[in-house]
Amino acid sequence: MGDNFFFFFFFLVEHQYTSDCSGCFTDNFLCISRAMEDLEDNTTVFSTLRSFNNFISQRMEGVSGQAVPASSQSSLQIQYQQRVQLEEQAGQIHSKSQLLQVEREKMQMELSHKRARIELEKAANTNARNYEREADRNQELLTRIKQYQERETEAENKLKEQMEMNKSYKKSMETMSKKLQEKESKLAEANETITILKGKISELQWNIMNQEMQMTSQDSQKQELMEQLDVQHKKWQEATQQIQTLQASQSLLAEYEQKIKDLEQKFSQQEHDAVIVKNMKTELARFPKMERELRQLREENAYFREMKENNGLLKEEVEGLQRKLERYEKVQAQLVTAELENEKLLGKLKSWEKLDQSTGLNIRTPDDLSRQIVALQQRELVLKEQNSTITNSARILEKARQQLQEEILQIQSQLLDEKKKREQHEALVRRLQKRVLLLTKERDGMRAILESYDSELTPAEHSPQLNRRMREAEEMVQKLHAHNAELEVQMSQVLEEVGNQKQRAEMLEVEMKVLKSRESTAEQSTFITKEEVDALRLKIEELEAERSKLEEQNRSLEMKLEKLTMQGDYDPSKTKVLHFSMNPASLAKQQRKEEQQQLQEECERLRELVRVLEAGGSIHGNLEGVGSFQSPQEVAELKKQVESAELKNQRLKEIFQTKIQEFRKVCYTLTGYQIDITTENQYRLTSIYAEHQGDCLLFKASSSSGGKMQLLENEFSRTIRELIELHLLHQDSIPAFLSALTLELFSRQTIA
Amino acid sequence: MKEWLYKCTVQRLVVVISSIENNEVLERWQFDIECDKNAKGESAPREKSQKAIQDEIRSVIRQITATVTFLPLLETACAFDLLIYTDKDLVVPEKWEESGPQFIANSEEVRLRSFTTTIHKVNSMVAYKKDSFP
């Protein structure tokens, strides 16, 4: 589009070139611009205007070679310049022709131009006014716009507020809706629960109905069962009655069975008895026979006893004879053996006697023999000594031989080593010789090659072939060397192995020889070892006997140990026995000791008490001293009791005394006699009317109870002899006598 | 006691029943304990169920109650004492003291069953005084 603009402008330039009025250009440009309003916006138009002005200024300056405003396309510019130049040339030609036309038109144009100017000014004014109006309108509109914008902003704020409110309300609404939903859900749940509960209620009611039905059925069943129970009860009673009758009958049955058994037993006994009776009958029938037999048997018995005695005697004789027989047989056997021995001894004697002839020595008597034996023994001793010395020397020689053999072995091994080394050296020598040969051969080959090289140096054509051959030959030689070296190495290894094997074989041969020699020596010394073997066997037997004895001892000791461990024995060096200090046995012992001590102390106290009581001392003091084991309470009580008893005693004594005195006084006054007890059975009576104070009568109780009394003779009784004779001797009444006496004394008193 | 068993220092446990009057030993119940000293070093536990061990102990206790058939009646008042045979070098704790072995002089011995827990083996036996009146 830009290019089009340029081309368009340039065409315009061609047409308007004649006019130099910039204002005309500008007017035309304005017209153009108006015409091109529908084209792109004013800015581009103004920019193109600037560029066009620039171009025009440039065109005004010159034509040739001007700097075109900056345009990117170089080729086009070049073409354009060419064209421009062409056109300029053409234009110059045309311009001149057109100058004239233009001057003509110029005048017309000036007129029209003025008119147009006026119109344009008018239009401009109107346009300015319009423009002002429009500017005012614009401003109004702008103010309005501002107002509206302000309102809009307000409205937007309000909207925002409203929106916020709306949001908050929505939120609250949402919360409310949620709550509503929850409540609705709860309601729904409640409704569900209500329905469930209603269902449960219905089920329960149904269950209740069912259970009531069941109840009624069960009641009916119960009634039936009760009736059945009654029936069963009645049956049971009947059954019990039957059972009782059955039991009675069973008891009867049992009794009858017992009776039957008894009867059966009796029957069997009777059968036995019958059988026995039959046997007895048969036996009785046999009785006379038996008697006869008895007699015979007794006779035979007597006969047999006699025979037995005879037999006994005979047996003794027989035994004696047998013993004698045995003895005689033994004696015979001994005789026979003695004869055999005798013969042997005779033979020996003869042989001994012949010895003289056989040995050629002067042996006639055993003394000579003994002397010979002694001599032989001495010789034997000597020989044994020699033997021992010889055996020692033999051993020494054997040791030396063994040492020598070992040395021989060593030397042989050394020999073998030497041989091996020599062989190795020989092998080395051979290898070296072979190498030498090979080296010489190589050298010869190399020399030949060199000679060939020298002879054939000139042809250059063959040089590469020769070089190649040389190289090949060298390589072959190297390979051969390497192969050779490997072969030599293998050879050496093999030779070494062979040498080792040979050495081993020779060593083994040497050992074999040594063993063979040893075997031969061992065979010689077998009979020496036989003695040792026998001795060893004897030792073994002795040791085995000892071992068996020791085993028996061991067993017995183990038994004892077992028994002791059972009894509780232990090894004092390794174990010790512990027990609790406060163990029950010691506690019981302690208790026992304490009880014993207590009992002893009590015993002693009681003995002292008894002694004291027997002695009759005051109980209180002794109780206090001795009865310390009694509790003080008991002591106080006993003291109180004792005091009370003593008080009672004293009171009783006083009362008795007063009563006795009263009674005696009464008796004295009523009877007239005072009765005193002088000694054990003697009573002294003094009358109330006695003339003298010493006048008294003495009575003695003959019996212990005092039933019969006898009067004793004293001076006063002599004065009243008549009364005594009358009342006591004749009347035999003491009361009459006493009363007569009182009467007489009273009469004497009153009279006198 | 548990410590001593764990350390294998107890060799024997003896219950001695003696009469109070004359301190004469009437019965002697002896339990020998053989302890396997390697058990402490071993890490793997021994394979013996507690039920089996309890069965063995039960049979021993039954045997002990059955000994009433042949043991003589004890008519005098008696007291018992517990003796422990330990290694010589064991430290004697408080309230314990050394004592004698309390043998029975003229004794009959009866060996009872033994039981084992694979670490300890306990042999039991009873010794009683032979009645002078057979």
Side-chain angles (χ1 to χ4, degrees), chain A residues 16 34 39 98 103 124 210 249 316 321 348 366 396 464 510 514 662 671 693 696 700 745:
Chain A
Q16 308 281 332
R34 267 187 224 149
L39 294 173
Q98 283 178 354
E103 280 176 1
N210 285 334
S249 59
E316 285 174 13
L321 286 168
K348 276 186 189 173
I396 290 158
V510 164
V514 165
E662 230 184 281
T671 57
Q693 268 191 352
C696 58
K700 189 182 165 190
L745 286 171

Side-chain angles (χ1 to χ4, degrees), chain A residues 70-269:
Chain A
S71 73
S72 58
Q73 291 148 357
S74 58
S75 59
L76 275 168
Q77 276 178 7
I78 293 160
Q79 283 174 6
Y80 169 65
Q81 276 175 6
Q82 284 172 359
R83 268 199 190 169
V84 162
Q85 281 171 5
L86 289 167
E87 282 175 2
E88 278 178 5
Q89 284 170 2
Q92 278 173 3
I93 300 163
H94 283 292
S95 61
K96 285 173 188 174
S97 65
Q98 283 178 354
L99 261 169
L100 291 167
Q101 285 179 359
V102 167
E103 280 176 1
R104 286 178 207 158
E105 286 174 4
K106 193 180 162 188
M107 296 293 286
Q108 288 174 359
M109 285 293 285
E110 279 177 2
L111 286 167
S112 63
H113 187 66
K114 281 177 189 174
R115 285 176 201 157
R117 219 189 241 177
I118 297 159
E119 287 175 3
L120 279 168
E121 281 175 4
K122 284 180 190 173
N125 288 328
T126 54
N127 279 334
R129 281 177 216 158
N130 286 332
Y131 177 70
E132 283 172 8
R133 279 181 215 160
E134 282 176 4
D136 292 335
R137 275 189 200 166
N138 246 351
Q139 282 179 355
E140 284 177 13
L141 285 169
L142 278 170
T143 53
R144 276 189 197 174
I145 285 164
K146 280 180 191 171
Q147 283 174 7
Y148 286 138
Q149 277 180 356
E150 284 170 11
R151 282 184 200 170
E152 217 184 311
T153 52
E154 285 175 9
E156 278 180 6
N157 289 330
K158 279 185 188 173
L159 222 176
K160 281 179 191 172
E161 287 171 11
Q162 288 291 317
M163 287 289 281
E164 283 173 5
M165 293 277 280
N166 208 7
K167 279 180 192 172
S168 64
Y169 284 139
K170 272 186 189 174
K171 280 177 192 170
S172 61
M173 277 292 286
E174 279 173 13
T175 52
M176 295 292 282
S177 66
K178 277 179 193 170
K179 282 181 189 172
L180 260 173
Q181 279 174 5
E182 283 171 14
K183 282 185 185 168
E184 277 176 11
S185 63
K186 280 181 189 172
L187 261 172
E189 284 173 7
N191 284 328
E192 283 175 7
T193 51
I194 285 161
T195 51
I196 288 161
L197 287 166
K198 278 184 187 172
K200 281 184 188 174
I201 286 160
S202 61
E203 281 179 10
L204 286 167
Q205 280 175 355
W206 198 62
N207 285 333
I208 286 161
M209 295 276 283
N210 285 334
Q211 276 174 2
E212 280 176 7
M213 297 275 284
Q214 281 177 9
M215 279 277 286
T216 51
S217 64
Q218 276 176 0
D219 284 331
S220 61
Q221 278 180 11
K222 194 176 107 180
Q223 282 173 2
E224 285 174 8
L225 286 167
M226 289 288 283
E227 286 167 15
Q228 281 179 11
L229 220 175
D230 293 329
V231 165
Q232 291 288 331
H233 199 66
K234 285 176 197 167
K235 280 185 190 173
W236 174 70
Q237 280 175 356
E238 286 171 15
T240 49
Q241 283 172 4
Q242 279 180 6
I243 282 162
Q244 282 172 2
T245 50
L246 276 169
Q247 277 177 354
S249 59
Q250 266 183 5
S251 60
L252 282 170
L253 254 175
E255 288 174 9
Y256 290 143
E257 276 178 8
Q258 272 188 354
K259 279 187 189 173
I260 286 162
K261 277 180 195 168
D262 296 332
L263 288 167
E264 278 179 3
Q265 278 179 0
K266 283 183 189 171
F267 189 62
S268 60
Q269 277 180 2

Side-chain angles (χ1 to χ4, degrees), chain A residues 566-568 575-576 578-579, chain B residues 11 81 84 90 103 109 125:
Chain A
M566 293 276 274
Q567 282 188 342
T575 58
K576 62 185 178 185
L578 294 175
H579 73 159
Chain B
Q11 294 171 5
D81 192 4
I84 299 178
L90 185 69
F103 295 142
E109 289 112 21
M125 49 154 281

